[in-house]
Amino acid sequence: MDSQRRVRDAALALCLFAGPAAAADMTLKAAAATSGRYFGAALDPDALGEKPYRGLAATQLTSVTPENAMKWESVEALRGQFDWGRADALVAFAKAHGQKVRGHTLVWHSQLPLWLIQGRFSRQDLRDLMTAHIAAEAGRFKGAIYAWDVVNEPFAADGEWRESIWYEAMGPDYVAIALRAARAADPDAKLYVNDYGVETDGPKMRALRDLVASLKRDGVPIDGVGFQSHFALGRVPADFADVLAKFAALGVDVAITELDVRAPVPADAAALARQAEDYASAVAACRRTPRCVGVTTWGITDDRSWISSFFSGYGAALPYDEAYRAKPAVEAMVKAWTAPAP
Ligand code: XIL
């Protein structure tokens, strides 16, 4: 612990001493380390064969998340036929580079295999399938995963439970059942519930807060809450840090798990400057919250981002551009991580 702090203080001193030039040179992972946090990104294992992509992933990140490679449709497209290839490749990359892995995601309504969606399974079958899937996947990667997004996106925008095969089969209990199964499969992984649209006060944030409070009350294993943080330009909520603090007060870690800031395209210099401020605000919100363990962006470079296919007219959402050049967001984040404590 002490030596960790010494390393952190030395890195911080070096950066402050060397001034702005050092901020420009410092890696994101070194910058995050100065405040004792990780900096991570979602990665596509297929892209790791490309040198510039691999270079950024190897040098800038303390933590990696498989963008799609651990989703159910990716690992078991045909019932009983597991394909762990891409997930294994990512875990191997992380191991080779001393990085943590955030596992994403065990129970979600989306990106499920067709055999599961179309299978007309009974409620009991679905419960058994869910727990068997958790046992298989979290069991396979046991010991290699820092944190699992066990349940992803349980709520709808109005704070009601999201309709899903899991909710229909088990009601709200599916969350506790999933968390217990994950704990049994990998006792050392931190277990998270992860969602979007919960970064500001509102019905969805409150529903998630009430869920976490009740899970803690009932002794269900939950260690953290992930705030996806898919923001539109200029829309990082002013109360983001307050929200993080509210969840931390329930006795869980919090993390920014899928940060991106989408801009109308083409994005001009003013938009990129605004975006840099938004990235810095998200980092600052994490830093203001002692239990915020780190920040993960949903990709690294603009050419490999989900935004343009999901939000028409938007793009340029990530810290590096299509040519792998650092955008203003990179230096802004380095500064936000290393600035004297707020
Ligand atoms: C997205 C991926 O980035 C896309 O490549 C895929 O086509 C769809 O899913 N919330 C999540 C992520 O938890 O898993 C989603 O990832 C983005 C929204």
Side-chain angles (χ1 to χ4, degrees):
M1 196 64 199
D2 249 18
S3 75
Q4 239 177 23
R5 176 160 309 143
R6 268 199 302 277
V7 171
R8 193 193 304 166
D9 290 349
L12 182 58
L14 190 67
C15 174
L16 293 176
F17 174 73
D25 291 346
M26 203 178 202
T27 62
L28 287 162
K29 86 172 182 192
T34 65
S35 76
R37 270 71 168 210
Y38 64 80
F39 180 79
L43 297 182
D44 173 1
D46 289 341
L48 288 171
E50 292 164 27
K51 217 171 161 197
Y53 184 91
R54 190 173 65 240
L56 284 180
T59 55
Q60 300 295 331
L61 309 179
T62 337
S63 165
V64 302
T65 306
E67 183 172 355
N68 290 298
M70 288 187 182
K71 291 172 181 174
W72 199 331
E73 70 169 10
S74 305
V75 300
E76 197 189 2
L78 299 175
R79 189 171 185 187
Q81 293 184 27
F82 294 93
D83 176 1
W84 303 108
R86 288 187 171 81
D88 284 348
L90 197 83
V91 170
F93 180 86
K95 198 169 175 204
H97 295 91
Q99 295 162 324
K100 297 177 194 288
V101 181
R102 291 198 82 263
H104 177 84
T105 174
L106 295 169
V107 180
W108 191 24
H109 64 276
S110 186
Q111 292 183 274
L112 295 169
L114 277 183
W115 64 264
L116 179 57
I117 302 168
Q118 297 176 346
R120 300 176 172 278
F121 293 106
S122 70
R123 291 171 179 207
Q124 185 61 44
D125 285 344
L126 283 168
R127 180 180 173 142
D128 294 345
L129 284 162
M130 183 188 83
T131 52
H133 171 68
I134 294 169
E137 180 150 25
R140 177 176 179 93
F141 296 108
K142 181 172 189 268
I145 304 290
Y146 160 70
W148 265 113
D149 289 331
V150 178
V151 173
N152 198 30
E153 304 181 348
F155 291 110
D158 59 4
E160 294 298 318
W161 284 92
R162 185 192 284 275
E163 302 288 334
S164 71
I165 56 173
W166 313 121
Y167 183 74
E168 275 150 35
M170 290 165 267
D173 288 349
Y174 86 88
V175 176
I177 296 167
L179 287 163
R180 289 200 167 100
R183 179 67 96 224
D186 187 352
D188 295 328
K190 303 268 187 208
L191 306 182
Y192 276 64
V193 174
N194 190 53
D195 213 329
Y196 67 91
V198 291
E199 298 83 3
T200 189
D201 191 7
K204 193 169 176 178
M205 182 284 271
R206 288 185 211 144
L208 182 61
R209 186 198 56 197
D210 293 349
L211 169 66
V212 173
S214 83
L215 292 169
K216 291 295 283 183
R217 227 174 10 244
D218 296 347
V220 176
I222 175 160
D223 304 301
V225 174
F227 296 78
Q228 292 187 10
S229 309
H230 295 292
F231 296 126
L233 190 67
R235 304 291 289 275
V236 178
D239 62 344
F240 192 11
D242 298 338
V243 168
L244 293 176
K246 272 197 185 85
F247 279 83
L250 299 174
V252 289
D253 287 345
V254 294
I256 295 177
T257 51
E258 304 186 13
L259 178 62
D260 51 21
V261 179
R262 59 184 180 273
V265 281
D268 60 13
L272 297 185
R274 181 68 237 233
Q275 178 180 59
E277 288 173 28
D278 291 341
Y279 270 99
S281 312
V283 165
C286 180
R287 270 194 78 190
R288 275 210 291 280
T289 315
R291 290 207 70 166
C292 181
V293 292
V295 171
T296 297
T297 55
W298 206 240
I300 320 178
T301 62
D302 284 340
D303 60 326
R304 294 179 177 278
S305 160
W306 72 306
I307 291 297
S308 58
S309 17
F310 284 78
F311 297 87
S312 95
Y314 285 85
L318 289 167
Y320 291 85
D321 70 14
E322 325 58 41
Y324 298 87
R325 285 175 306 229
K327 291 158 66 184
V330 172
E331 196 179 337
M333 281 194 282
V334 169
K335 285 191 174 145
W337 282 124
T338 54

